[in-house]
Amino acid sequence: MTDPARTVTLPFPKESGRYRTAEQPVIEQLRTGRLSDTGRGPAVTELEDAFAALAGTRYALSFNSGTAALHAALHAIGASPAAGIATTPMTWISAITATFHAGSFPVFCDIEPDTPNLDPHALAALAPACSAALVAHAFGVPARMDALTTAAPLPLVEDCSHAHGALYRHRPVGSWGAAGCFSLQDSKTVSGGEGGILTTSDRAVYEHALVLGHHPHRLQVELTLDHLRPLVGTGGAYKFRMPPLSAVIAREQLRTLAARSQAAEDNLTVLREALHELQAPVTWPTLADGSRRGWYGTPVTITHRVRAPQALAHAATTAGVPLRPLYEDWLHSPLLQDRQHLERLWPHIAATDYRPPDAEAFPHYTAARRQMLIIKIPTRRAADYMHQVATVLSDLLAHHTR
């Protein structure tokens, strides 16, 4: 049986000149001659203040990557080899390895049915063996933070890398946990090319994160906690600070985030209505009242059994349906299954209770890998394009499901 002949003929509606608004601010920054910032200069200050406002937190702290922000957040809340960090397998590998960077290790939880996010019941069952939890708002869908915080009396770090500007029950992501972490890598809705942001309202978390990777020039000005003051001249010296040019670019991206997010919301509405009219066998994650998603990708669950997930994804991509690939199945990765690899990279693992994950122990995650697609929604209004995507996708689902 061959795939349907229909394809998406309209081009993906890219934002024209995504970084164009940053051109003049970047030139102005270049003219200052300040391309490295060992303190908290104007570009970094403006970006951090804007992210604190976005997340509704007292503080925001910039880093050179989202991975570094996760490392710093887990360090700041007290990750240690004594107990693991509860987390999800439905994430990018850096969010998993950040637990190793911070001196701990991952303990995997299953996800909820028909969503890409942690199951509060699974988290509650694991909580006694963990010292903290790393909760992803996967593919922009806000995790059920009220249920998760109730399920586990643990410090929670939010991975907001897919969820810039998202809300859960009227409250910004990045403000629910002890810390929130945002990636500013180029594929994210807000980008500095590279970069990361940590948000928190806890001064101790802020200062411990600051010590890990920022310059003594900044530590001398900002450290107030007595037990950290002896580190004012050295810090941890990981050199995680953000270049000012990245800060300038990301700040300009933030200025247009609301408008671009609304355009994506409108596009998703068109897509959902068109697929409903075509009676396509799909369902979408339900957002709680007062919630708003981010726009890295939008998961859709196929309600008829997919015969061959990889074949469907390949056919859809070939036909022009804008998919983001599901991440690799890290539970089968040699990195997580072979302690020799882990102990060479992170020697502290030899003294921990880390156990390679049983890849068969996560039924909802396994089902999602079979039944879920991640659709990339344009952040520029394009109703005709979304109708074409719906038609082609509906045809493909009829062909690849039973």
Side-chain angles (χ1 to χ4, degrees), residues 80-161:
S80 78
I85 307 295
T87 192
T88 173
M90 186 66 82
T91 188
W92 178 241
I93 189 63
S94 292
I96 296 169
T97 57
T99 66
F100 297 125
H101 298 328
S104 188
F105 56 93
V107 178
F108 291 104
C109 294
D110 206 356
I111 61 176
E112 293 189 278
D114 300 326
T115 87
N117 289 329
L118 274 181
D119 183 344
H121 297 293
L123 179 59
L126 289 176
C130 297
S131 59
L134 177 54
V135 176
H137 303 289
F139 303 110
V141 177
R144 293 201 296 130
M145 294 305 300
D146 48 0
L148 289 164
T149 53
T150 302
L154 299 171
L156 265 60
V157 171
E158 299 172 70
D159 182 354
C160 310
S161 295

Side-chain angles (χ1 to χ4, degrees), residues 364-376:
H364 297 153
Y365 168 73
T366 300
R369 294 194 63 82
R370 171 175 285 277
Q371 298 296 131
M372 188 175 285
L373 295 175
I374 309 300
I375 302 177
K376 185 179 178 183

Side-chain angles (χ1 to χ4, degrees), residues 136-210:
H137 303 289
F139 303 110
V141 177
R144 293 201 296 130
M145 294 305 300
D146 48 0
L148 289 164
T149 53
T150 302
L154 299 171
L156 265 60
V157 171
E158 299 172 70
D159 182 354
C160 310
S161 295
H162 295 173
H164 304 74
L167 304 174
Y168 180 71
R169 295 195 181 277
H170 304 284
R171 182 171 167 181
V173 302
S175 68
W176 284 85
C181 298
F182 296 80
S183 170
L184 304 181
Q185 184 266 344
D186 186 56
S187 66
K188 306 306 189 295
T189 313
V190 174
S191 172
E194 293 287 354
I197 296 286
L198 180 153
T199 56
T200 185
S201 290
D202 186 323
R203 183 71 194 185
V205 168
Y206 175 80
E207 292 197 22
H208 278 92
L210 190 70

Side-chain angles (χ1 to χ4, degrees), residues 274-315:
L275 286 171
H276 178 73
E277 290 173 4
L278 292 165
Q279 299 183 329
V282 297
T283 188
W284 309 83
T286 300
L287 269 63
D289 291 345
S291 299
R292 182 172 68 210
R293 74 186 71 221
W295 294 104
Y296 178 74
T298 297
V300 56
T301 298
I302 302 158
T303 55
H304 293 177
R305 183 172 176 79
V306 177
R307 291 194 296 270
Q310 291 183 343
L312 171 60
H314 175 75

